[in-house]
């Protein structure tokens, strides 16, 4: 007599879904058929988990009666569950209703908050898989989301298909305990040298969040363009983001405040925090073209569309400069719920050392005035005012006494050494995109270093995390972004998330090879590195 009851309960559960969610998979395209293979191994994911305990013979089978149960009364858990269900429906064709409770007789994936587990922190999770259920437990929604990203990789690669695939969907039995090594795991996208549209930025957010990247740093201004609306200085975007801006004059465009707020919201649903950057006192030619009063002689410089650096500077002795800077910081801070506001500070070769220190002494405290933590490139550590800031180390050297001394005063450091983490650099001499001033960076080069030991004398406790910057001098569209970011970004992501004891090139190479078909299925234009034996 149990079968009719189960059927009725499932039908009631399925009816809680919008009609579009139930019908979309079948309407998308005809089903395809895939051979039945063993599920991915429990530890085969990127980044590799902290602890993996496989259990043979305990595989979970995801089927048409599977339901997703989320923490009762938790909108945050429900949001993660809804997102996870939307990701699985196209390939499986299953309804996968998201419910606050589920009958024990149904195969269930449970997403539960309130683990009260100090070891997990805000982003860690525990995942357990047996024949009847999968359970992810976490302290916070960010941990649940991280657990679902792991679970997506534990399903067969055909789960990435946009059409229904007829196959057995199973997950290997066992358990995972996982939490990040560093609190900050970032990617940077330069939208100043070439503007990238909100849709392109969102697509990048989708991809980086799969690897537990939790910050996206947007480089919003430079000599070649200004890309964020500032109401008190409107010509910054109408001129600095107008036609003819960008490298070679081919990258016009800018984010309105509405665009930026929408990006912040979108990224937050994937537990990615936006970090905005306005570069100063150098890299300001676009701002000075729009507002000549930001120069010392009041004369607008010619627009620049080349790739040279170090020639521009705000007028350090002018009060107009600080009115401009404070207006920009105030408006950008009001738009940004995240904790950090990046004020650049690199390659200020046209600013004297004394003027640079004067500028930082006035500007770094302004960031705190508007409720944010100041963040800048490692040159800001020359200023005593950087003690409460975050410095992004981009140098290629392994020694920097100034950064080490600043860390002793309290400065935290995000590691982005250009010859390891700059994913705008060419893979090799034949790479059609990218630069090579920091050297060629193949996948193994991006993987084989340790953020905690890279800089001599810098204690591991001072390292906040790691970031992979992607500059846009040679990029034009989303395909270019993907080609340069993947497969190197997952290498940086693993350095930021996984414990150093798990660092192993042979293992990473194998896991990356198995991940390639997932990019192919999603249409991600990744670089097929010859260092990897792609599946």
């Amino acid at each position: 007599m149990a079968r009719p009851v189960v059927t009725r309960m499932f039908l009631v559960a399925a009816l809680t879904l919008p009609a579009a969610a139930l019908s979309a998979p079948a309407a998308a395209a005809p089903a395809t058929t895939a051979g039945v293979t063993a599920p991915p191994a429990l530890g085969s994911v990127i980044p590799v988990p902290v602890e993996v305990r496989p259990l043979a013979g305990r595989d979970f089978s995801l089927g048409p009666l599977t339901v997703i149960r989320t923490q009762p009364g938790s909108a945050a858990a429900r949001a993660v569950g809804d997102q996870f269900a939307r990701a699985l429906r196209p390939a499986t064709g299953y309804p996968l209703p998201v419910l606050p409770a589920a009958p024990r007789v149904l195969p269930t994936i449970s997403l539960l908050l309130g683990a009260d587990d100090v070891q997990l922190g805000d982003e860690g999770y525990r995942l357990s898989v047996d024949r009847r259920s999968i359970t992810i437990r976490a302290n916070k929604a960010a941990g649940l989301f991280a657990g679902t990203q792991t679970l997506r990789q534990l399903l067969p690669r055909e789960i990435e298909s946009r059409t229904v695939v007829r196959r057995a969907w199973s997950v290997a039995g066992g358990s995972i305990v996982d939490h990040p090594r560093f609190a900050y795991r970032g990617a940077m996208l330069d939208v100043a040298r070439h503007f990238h549209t909100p849709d392109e930025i969102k697509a990048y957010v989708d991809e980086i969040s799969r690897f537990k990247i939790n910050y996206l740093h947007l480089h919003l201004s430079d000599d070649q363009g200004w890309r964020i609306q500032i109401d008190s200085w409107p010509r910054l975007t109408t001129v600095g983001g107008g036609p003819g801006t960008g490298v070679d004059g081919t990258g016009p465009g800018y984010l309105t405040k509405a665009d930026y707020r929408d990006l912040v919201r979108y990224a937050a649903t994937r537990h990615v925090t936006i970090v905005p950057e306005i570069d100063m006192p150098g890299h300001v030619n676009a701002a000075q073209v729009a507002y000549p009063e930001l120069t010392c002689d009041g004369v607008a410089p010619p627009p620049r569309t080349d790739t040279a650096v170090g020639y521009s500077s705000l007028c350090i002795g002018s009060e107009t400069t600080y009115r401009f800077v404070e207006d920009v910081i105030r408006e950008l801070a009001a738009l940004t719920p995240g904790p950090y506001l990046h004020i650049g500070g690199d390659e200020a070769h046209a600013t004297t050392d004394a003027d640079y220190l004067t500028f930082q002494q006035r500007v770094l405290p302004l960031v705190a005035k508007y409720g944010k933590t100041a963040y800048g490139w490692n040159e800001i550590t020359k200023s005593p005012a950087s003690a409460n800031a975050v410095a992004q180390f981009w140098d290629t050297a392994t020694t920097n006494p100034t950064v080490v001394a600043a860390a002793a005063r309290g400065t935290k450091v995000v590691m982005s050494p250009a010859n390891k983490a700059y994913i705008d650099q060419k893979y090799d001499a034949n790479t059609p995109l990218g630069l090579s001033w920091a050297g060629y960076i193949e996948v193994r080069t991006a993987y084989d270093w340790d953020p905690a030991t890279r800089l001599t004398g810098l204690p591991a406790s001072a390292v906040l995390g790691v970031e992979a910057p992607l500059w846009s001098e040679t990029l034009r569209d989303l395909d270019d972004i993907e080609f340069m970011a993947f497969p190197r970004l997952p290498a940086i992501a693993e350095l930021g998330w996984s414990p150093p004891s798990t660092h192993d090139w042979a293992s990473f190479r194998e896991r990356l090879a198995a991940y390639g078909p997932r990019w192919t299925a999603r249409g991600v234009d990744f670089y097929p590195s010859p260092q990897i034996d792609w599946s």
Side-chain angles (χ1 to χ4, degrees):
M1 296 299 293
R3 187 180 304 273
V5 174
V6 170
T7 301
R8 286 197 300 272
M9 294 177 73
F10 177 75
L11 287 174
V12 169
L15 287 173
T16 66
L17 284 172
L22 290 169
S23 61
T32 60
T33 301
V36 176
T37 57
L42 204 61
S44 64
V45 300
I46 304 172
V48 67
V50 172
E51 179 184 305
V52 177
R53 295 175 181 263
L55 283 175
R58 306 293 290 273
D59 296 1
F60 174 85
S61 294
L62 187 150
L65 295 182
T66 299
V67 299
I68 297 173
R69 178 172 70 104
T70 62
Q71 188 78 26
S74 171
R78 174 66 190 240
V80 174
D82 286 339
Q83 194 172 29
F84 184 56
R86 287 194 298 269
L88 269 52
R89 286 175 187 140
T92 65
Y94 302 150
L96 299 173
V98 181
L99 308 169
R104 291 183 181 180
V105 291
L106 294 182
T108 302
I109 300 173
S110 297
L111 307 178
L112 305 178
L113 285 173
D116 195 24
D117 190 328
V118 173
Q119 180 186 17
L120 299 182
D122 289 349
E123 296 181 278
Y125 63 92
R126 292 179 181 270
L127 186 152
S128 60
V129 182
D130 62 31
R131 285 189 292 267
R132 297 180 59 180
S133 65
I134 295 175
T135 302
I136 301 175
R137 297 183 183 274
N139 295 328
K140 299 288 181 67
L144 280 187
F145 179 80
T148 62
Q149 297 305 93
T150 293
L151 185 50
R152 288 172 73 174
Q153 290 190 45
L154 292 175
L155 283 159
R157 63 182 63 167
E158 291 84 6
I159 201 67
E160 308 295 347
S161 175
R162 296 180 176 90
T163 62
V164 177
V165 179
R166 294 194 180 97
R167 66 154 299 144
W169 301 99
S170 56
V171 178
S175 63
I176 288 174
V177 179
D178 206 9
H179 46 83
R181 180 186 185 189
F182 294 115
Y184 188 105
R185 305 171 309 281
M188 190 215 80
L189 182 61
D190 172 14
V191 298
R193 267 58 173 273
H194 187 90
F195 181 66
H196 300 291
T197 67
D199 284 346
E200 289 175 328
I201 298 170
K202 287 178 180 179
Y204 196 44
V205 168
D206 288 342
E207 288 301 321
I208 66 176
S209 65
R210 288 172 176 264
F211 301 105
K212 303 180 178 69
I213 293 292
N214 63 344
Y215 285 91
L216 177 62
H217 166 186
L218 292 178
H219 185 76
L220 294 167
S221 71
D222 216 296
D223 292 310
Q224 300 86 353
W226 185 285
R227 310 303 184 183
I228 182 68
Q229 176 186 349
I230 301 296
D231 291 338
S232 53
W233 299 76
R235 293 203 304 275
L236 289 171
T237 45
T238 57
V239 175
T245 58
V247 170
D248 299 330
T250 61
Y254 63 90
L255 299 172
T256 67
K257 286 189 171 182
D259 290 334
Y260 183 84
R261 289 189 185 99
D262 182 57
L263 280 174
V264 167
R265 286 192 296 266
Y266 186 89
T269 65
R270 286 140 181 85
H271 296 274
V272 173
T273 299
I274 299 294
V275 178
E277 180 193 352
I278 300 297
D279 208 345
M280 49 190 170
H283 292 278
V284 293
N285 198 77
Q288 292 174 327
V289 171
Y291 288 98
E293 58 265 44
L294 297 176
T295 67
C296 286
D297 60 8
V299 177
R304 297 291 291 258
T305 61
D306 59 339
T307 60
V309 299
Y311 51 81
S312 63
S313 177
L314 292 170
C315 189
I316 306 305
S318 169
E319 285 305 307
T320 301
T321 290
Y322 300 103
R323 178 168 60 87
F324 163 75
V325 169
E326 183 161 7
D327 284 343
V328 170
I329 288 173
R330 171 177 49 79
E331 292 194 38
L332 201 50
L335 287 171
T336 304
Y340 303 115
L341 198 154
H342 202 302
I343 58 168
D346 64 319
E347 297 175 324
H349 306 318
T351 311
T352 67
D353 288 346
D355 278 353
Y356 187 88
L357 291 174
T358 296
F359 180 82
Q360 296 298 347
Q361 195 68 26
R362 289 195 62 171
V363 172
L364 285 165
L366 283 178
V367 180
K369 176 180 176 180
Y370 291 99
K372 303 300 175 186
T373 297
Y375 189 174
W377 300 103
N378 57 252
E379 287 91 330
I380 69 168
T381 58
K382 292 185 288 187
S383 170
S386 69
N388 296 316
V390 174
Q392 186 167 4
F393 181 79
W394 66 277
D395 199 353
T396 59
T398 57
T399 59
N400 191 308
T402 303
V403 172
V404 173
R409 297 192 301 268
T411 304
K412 294 297 184 182
V413 181
V414 169
M415 296 299 296
S416 299
N419 53 348
K420 295 290 186 180
Y422 268 35
I423 55 176
D424 64 297
Q425 299 297 292
K426 291 176 178 288
Y427 292 92
D428 59 30
N430 298 316
T431 308
L433 301 172
L435 305 176
S436 57
W437 63 265
Y440 302 127
I441 302 180
E442 250 288 5
V443 182
R444 186 164 188 173
T445 303
Y447 186 75
D448 270 349
W449 64 286
D450 186 344
T453 61
R454 173 70 184 177
L455 194 58
T456 302
L458 184 71
S461 59
V463 178
L464 183 64
V466 63
E467 182 175 289
L470 180 54
W471 302 95
S472 291
E473 289 96 333
T474 68
L475 310 186
R476 296 296 179 266
D477 55 26
L478 180 60
D479 282 347
D480 290 350
I481 292 171
E482 293 171 344
F483 184 82
M484 299 304 284
F486 306 112
R488 292 180 291 191
L489 185 80
I492 305 299
E494 182 151 303
L495 295 179
W497 179 277
S498 304
S501 61
T502 64
H503 191 85
D504 179 74
W505 165 247
S507 167
F508 179 74
R509 180 173 177 267
E510 182 178 347
R511 288 178 283 118
L512 191 60
Y515 195 91
R518 296 177 185 262
W519 279 321
T520 300
R522 296 198 299 275
V524 174
D525 188 22
F526 70 99
Y527 169 67
S529 168
Q531 292 186 342
I532 311 300
D533 295 328
W534 300 99
S535 299

